[in-house]
Amino acid sequence: MSEKKNDKEQMMEKIVSLAKRRGFVFPSSEIYGGMAAIYDYGHYGTMLKNNIRDAWWKHMVQLRDDVVGLDSAIFMHPTTWVASGHVGGFNDPQVDCRKCKSRFRADHILEEFGVSADKQTLEFINAELDKLRAVGKLKCANCGSTDLTSAKTFSLMVKSNIGSPTDELKEENVVYLRPETCGGIYLEYKNTVDSLHLKLPFGIAQVGKAFRNEIVARQFIFRTREFEQMEMQYFLHPSVMKEKYDRWKDTRWQWYLEYGISESEIRWYKHEKLAHYASEAYDIEFNFKALGGFKEVEGIHARGDWDLSQHSKFSGVDLSYFDEKTGKRFIPHIMETSVGLNRLVLMFLDHAYQEEKAPTADGSEETRVVLKFDKRLAPVKVAVLPLSKKEDLQKVAKEIWNTLKLNFQTEYDETQSIGKRYRRQDEIGTPYCVTVDFETLNDQAVTVRDRDSMKQERIKITGLEEYLKEKLAE
Ligand code: ATP
């Protein structure tokens, strides 16, 4: 058990350190001492995140004829969150250690003891905690003290104010930063149908920021207070719910396989206790090395007609759909797919991270760290590396870079030894390194090194772009 913990902690440390050292992810506001569970994305992290987002968008919108896009505002009318049940109801159960002041999620504590507190009441949770307390098993994971409070609810909603500064303290100016992106989809359902003349079933997809005042925030970018979600709400007649739900489950599962995740790394988690309006709920869990096991990355939920019914009721606007075939009106039912973009960044980093033995220039061996991303997700596709800083090599290398960068995210690097430059590109997961050497001046060819096999091939400069295009599409 303790060995496993060490493995996972070591792995997390390696990922966090690489992410910072190589410009993927930085702790936010570090020069002011940082802010818990808030992170910034550097050059490579931004590109990796954008590539994951684009891969999701491609499969959810571009390749389909039944899903359209949306980008709704973070601020929404405050009644939105009353209608959805978030105001007053979006809470986590919190337990504090009286000795060291650490905070925990009570449902997570119970999970460790095999008790599911999913959608359970505070009474249930406290009764289960009391059972553990009675046998001395309820301990602070930080300091070991048994002096823990009982669970109380903690709202996850993040408040803000809008209006003129003098109005700031007025209750009616309080707005919430959205805790999930799908609220915006429900509010724009009618405009989307009316403007695009959509017929059921269809989906609306969006990517955007969401905010939650998370109690426990110690898992790097797995759980943060500001994060991005990629959500798709599929509107349909309840008679086709089962069929569409099963199809979407399969579609989302295949997406992970498409981008290099293997069947053994993901699994389904079935929610046994459902919200009263829901008919089915599954999560896709990924086996994180850095978190020591399977954790949720995506939820796929059949939500009934709850969302549109509530917004219809609270806004007074009719959100029903007129079915031309039957001549009847009904409130569409919804199934959703909801995934955290930042969580996927961690998943792909965790999946791609490898340490391998690799030969050095002088014939000995060293350990190389390499991020074996799917090529489409890799932040940089090609690096152009002149063997030396000699002017004639620089000139050819820069010409190659100037051509390639028009089509691929390409990097030019002439600092330090070629070995060090290869290692640097391995660490950011660049699939191909193009080396310009002295021979290039005679044979008009370059060496292309493959990130994964480290094999090198001599390629004529005239055919280089085509060669890389084909390789990157493999
Ligand atoms: P949990 O129970 O772990 O707090 P949840 O089940 O409430 O999460 P959902 O509301 O279903 O999560 O959110 C859908 C997806 O959004 C999750 O699968 C996850 O990928 C992502 N997500 C939710 N909260 C966070 C967060 N604080 N940081 C990063 N991603 C998040």
Side-chain angles (χ1 to χ4, degrees), residues 105 212 214 222-224 227 229 296-299 301 338-340 343:
R105 259 175 69 172
R212 294 183 189 179
E214 297 281 0
F222 180 80
R223 185 184 304 284
T224 49
F227 57 102
Q229 283 187 316
E296 172 184 342
V297 285
E298 172 157 0
H301 305 147
S338 172
V339 57
R343 225 172 245 195

Side-chain angles (χ1 to χ4, degrees), residues 77-106:
H77 194 284
T79 310
T80 309
W81 307 114
V82 178
S84 67
H86 281 84
V87 171
F90 194 48
N91 306 310
D92 275 340
Q94 170 192 327
V95 164
D96 290 328
C97 169
R98 289 200 184 87
K99 192 165 170 224
C100 74
K101 310 288 176 221
S102 291
R103 292 203 147 154
F104 304 96
R105 259 175 69 172

Side-chain angles (χ1 to χ4, degrees), residues 50 119 154 200 300 460 473:
N50 289 347
K119 310 243 165 12
F154 184 90
L200 291 187
I300 299 164
K460 287 276 178 217

